[in-house]
């Protein structure tokens, strides 16, 4: 059938370049959600993205907007510079959990605490994907990775870091939320969160961070379908979904 | 009637779309594509109700959905 109305197609903010991501990796889904939001808000032509080091290192090849490539974990510093010099631009970082929660933890914490008015898309797949599946600060208790082949031992290396909760305790106003990419309902809900975070930036309200629980079928050693189920069974119980902080709750209390 | 099209050259054969389709429209092809994956393909396309769930979960934006009128035969297999 050729007639009829197109109800789903590639957003303009996403180039046709095929991604290098592994089959079933939800990095691609995260890209699409951001691109759809840029289209819907009509901000593509004044948006600057900052790519991380990690599997999303080539994000600048996939988004149809201006892009910078930061050193590992330093995307929030780049974004701070761009947004302060050109406040009329819409600036976002796209960072993995190794990039943001490990080497870049100081950058993200201080950017959020300073209330920098850019948006962070934080893709949490509980592992270092690009480098071959090493333990991340977000790796779950007991989860097997190449650097903890017996499973993460919390006695030895502590518990996984809940970055969204950590940032939600800050006194500085911000929008902090967590969604997941494991299935259609979760993806639709996550898109609303991404959209709200960008809307806060468009309105000039506050810093925004949306954590998206994402799969890494390759390094988890699971099929794409089993990886989505693993997000439901293992990740969501530890990383609950929802809005953790809205700019109104400026005291740092966690919004209900 | 609705229609779903899969760009088999972009598809990486992850099968996420096949899993979520409530109408059982999508399946895995028997031929590999140029990337070396077994891509998803449309089986009985007349069952498609244009819900877009397959497209929403596709990480590679390989699916396009069109709707034409209304499809009444929900879950009518
Ligand atoms: C300064 C520096 N230290 C270490 C590395 C090696 N390195 C590359 S990507 C990466 C972690 C990536 O993990 P994550 O941010 O979770 O992204 P993913 O690949 O899982 O999407 C590391 C440690 C590097 N490139 N530069
Ligand atoms: S290694 Fe993991 S995170 Fe990286 S592209 Fe493959 S599945 Fe995605
Ligand atoms: S649009 Fe809905 S019914 Fe049609 S193929 Fe996709 S998931 Fe199945
Ligand atoms: S979800 Fe996309 S990439 Fe995966 S099998 Fe379906 S069409 Fe192919």
């Amino acid at each position: 059938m050729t007639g009829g109305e197109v109800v789903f197609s590639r957003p303009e903010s996403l180039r046709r370049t095929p991604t290098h991501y592994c089959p079933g990796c939800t990095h691609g889904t995260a890209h699409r959600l951001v691109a759809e939001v840029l289209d819907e808000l009509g901000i593509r032509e004044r948006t600057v993205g900052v790519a991380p080091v990690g599997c999303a290192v080539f994000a600048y090849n996939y988004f149809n907007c201006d892009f910078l490539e930061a050193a590992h974990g330093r995307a929030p510093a780049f974004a701070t510079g761009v947004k302060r010099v050109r406040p009329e631009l819409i600036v976002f970082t796209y960072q993995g959990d190794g990039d943001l929660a490990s080497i870049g933890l100081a950058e993200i914490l201080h950017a959020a605490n300073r209330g920098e008015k850019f948006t962070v898309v934080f893709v949490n797949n509980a592992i270092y994907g690009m480098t071959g599946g090493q333990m991340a600060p977000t790796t779950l208790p007991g989860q097997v990775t190449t650097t903890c082949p017996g499973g993460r031992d919390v006695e030895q290396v502590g518990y996984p870091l809940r970055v969204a909760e950590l940032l939600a305790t800050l006194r500085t106003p911000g929008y902090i939320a967590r969604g997941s990419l494991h299935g259609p309902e979760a993806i639709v809900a996550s898109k609303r969160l991404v959209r709200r975070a960008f809307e806060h930036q468009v309105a000039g309200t506050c810093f925004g961070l949306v954590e998206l629980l994402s799969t890494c079928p390759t390094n988890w050693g699971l099929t794409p379908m089993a990886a989505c189920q693993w997000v439901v069974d293992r990740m969501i119980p530890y990383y609950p979904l929802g809005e953790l902080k809205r700019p109104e709750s400026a005291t740092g209390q966690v919004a209900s | 009637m609705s229609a779903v099209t899969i760009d088999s050259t972009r598809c990486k054969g992850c099968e996420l779309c096949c899993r979520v389709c409530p109408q059982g429209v999508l399946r895995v092809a028997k031929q590999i594509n140029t990337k070396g994956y077994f891509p998803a393909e449309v089986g009985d396309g007349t069952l498609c109700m244009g819900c877009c769930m397959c497209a929403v979960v596709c990480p590679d934006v390989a699916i396009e959905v069109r709707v034409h009128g209304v499809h009444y035969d929900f879950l009518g297999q």
Side-chain angles (χ1 to χ4, degrees), chain B residues 4 20-23 25-26 47-54 65:
Chain B
V4 59
V20 301
C21 176
Q23 295 282 84
V25 172
L26 306 173
L47 287 171
C48 176
M49 59 186 186
C51 67
C52 294
M53 296 232 270
C54 54
V65 185

Side-chain angles (χ1 to χ4, degrees), chain A residues 1-10 14 16-19 21 23-25 28-29 32 182 184 187 224-225 228, chain B residues 1-3 7 10 12 14-16 19-20 35 37 52-53 55-61 63-68:
Chain A
M1 187 184 82
T2 48
E5 182 195 350
V6 177
V7 290
F8 195 105
S9 63
R10 169 177 299 273
L14 206 59
R16 288 200 58 78
T17 316
T19 69
Y21 299 118
C25 171
T29 314
R32 197 192 73 233
H182 68 271
I187 293 168
M225 287 188 273
C228 289
Chain B
M1 190 192 160
S2 316
D7 183 343
R10 301 190 73 88
K12 294 176 185 163
C14 70
E15 300 181 33
L16 293 179
R19 184 187 67 155
V20 301
K35 287 194 174 87
Y37 299 122
C52 294
M53 296 232 270
V56 166
V57 297
C58 177
D60 289 278
V61 203
I63 301 179
E64 189 175 272
V65 185
R66 290 169 171 268
V67 294
H68 193 65

